[in-house]
Amino acid sequence: MPEPVDFGAEVAAVVRAIPPARVMTYGDVAAVLGSRASRAVGKVMAHEGSDLPWWRVVRSGGLPPVHHEARALEQYRVEGTPLRWSRDGASWRLDMRRARWSPSGDGWTDDGPPDEPDEPDGLGG
């Protein structure tokens, strides 16, 4: 009998792996886990995401989590995440073509994320 899956822990592992200045959609995170449950990813982020780089998980249209736009924008500016501004400069969204990240080719396997290093790398982790 296979071990039960801790979906929340798996979501957290994916979100922690998203590099600075890059983003994934809720659906992208679900897909990496072999799921189509983007709403379940959103639920995990709503309940457990405060200790994660939550601003790196965005809506499919390139918008940050609802009600967190200003805080997310601060993080995007700090990290240098590619943004697209409206002509009048009043609104923005992420430049998904440049900011979207996929773990394929970054050490991920079908079994999950790469092993965590034993020592922090000095980049906040």
Side-chain angles (χ1 to χ4, degrees):
M1 179 185 229
E3 290 185 37
V5 174
D6 183 345
F7 189 73
E10 289 189 344
V11 167
V14 173
V15 174
R16 282 188 193 98
I18 303 170
R22 303 299 297 272
V23 299
M24 293 178 79
T25 67
Y26 294 96
D28 292 341
V29 173
V32 166
L33 300 175
S35 173
R36 294 179 59 204
S38 58
R39 288 181 187 219
V41 171
K43 187 173 182 177
V44 168
M45 293 302 294
H47 293 284
E48 302 175 31
S50 63
D51 293 332
L52 300 172
W54 55 265
W55 59 92
R56 296 181 190 153
V57 182
V58 301
R59 294 180 277 166
S60 62
L63 296 172
V66 176
H67 305 300
H68 298 286
E69 294 86 354
R71 288 179 49 215
L73 181 57
E74 291 174 21
Q75 294 294 333
Y76 300 143
R77 286 180 167 160
V78 166
E79 292 185 357
T81 308
L83 302 172
R84 297 184 65 152
W85 289 87
S86 63
R87 291 182 194 255
D88 64 4
S91 62
W92 59 273
R93 69 180 56 237
L94 290 143
D95 184 341
M96 292 301 286
R97 184 181 59 77
R98 293 175 39 219
R100 194 175 212 164
W101 180 75
S102 173
S104 60
D106 285 326
W108 281 65
T109 67
D110 289 339
D111 296 327
D115 292 331
E116 295 288 327
D118 291 335
E119 297 292 324
D121 61 8
L123 299 174

